[in-house]
Amino acid sequence: MSVRIEIPSSPKEAPPPPATAPVNDTMRRLQIGIAGVLTVLLLVGMAGLIGDRARQSAGGDMTAAAEVKMPGEEEKTSGAPLEELGVQAVSPSSKDENAATPVKVPQAAPSSTVPDLEPDPALQRARQSNQ
């Protein structure tokens, strides 16, 4: 038989405080949340400014490109649009120079098997003896 003896606690000891978040922790979470919201607002504002500037610069380019050209003032082109872009034609002699140079393709050495990939003879004998 076991006897349990309880000793009454002294009135000086207070019960433990309830498990609530300290004020510092709550304030820190609030500060982090507010900082996050302000960061998102800042990023959205910057994106709006960048978009407005892009629209303004695109609008300015459109007005410059939309100049009215009078008929008869057309520029005469040479009929070769690639030459206008600065692309030079390849002469047939330069093609022949490239074709005349021999291309050496490395040839693999003739070999029936690779020594590292040959089966182990001892392993083959062991398999045959087990059958």
Side-chain angles (χ1 to χ4, degrees):
M1 170 181 230
S2 69
V3 177
R4 185 172 176 189
I5 302 174
E6 292 184 22
I7 302 174
S9 62
S10 65
K12 295 178 184 177
E13 293 181 23
T20 60
V23 177
N24 292 338
D25 189 38
T26 305
M27 287 301 292
R28 179 154 173 86
R29 288 176 185 229
L30 187 62
Q31 288 173 349
I32 290 172
I34 291 172
V37 168
L38 291 176
T39 303
V40 169
L41 289 174
L42 179 68
L43 289 174
V44 168
M46 287 178 61
L49 288 174
I50 291 170
D52 289 341
R53 292 265 174 104
R55 278 189 222 102
Q56 287 175 356
S57 66
D61 293 341
M62 292 293 268
T63 57
E67 294 178 5
V68 178
K69 294 185 180 181
M70 299 299 289
E73 291 183 10
E74 296 178 11
E75 296 178 19
K76 295 184 179 181
T77 59
S78 64
L82 292 178
E83 288 179 5
E84 291 175 6
L85 296 174
V87 177
Q88 296 179 355
V90 178
S91 63
S93 63
S94 64
K95 286 184 183 177
D96 295 337
E97 291 172 7
N98 290 337
T101 57
V103 177
K104 297 181 180 178
V105 178
Q107 300 291 326
S111 174
S112 60
T113 59
V114 178
D116 292 343
L117 299 178
E118 291 180 0
D120 188 14
L123 182 62
Q124 286 181 344
R125 278 187 251 126
R127 286 183 182 164
Q128 289 174 355
S129 65
N130 289 338
Q131 294 175 354

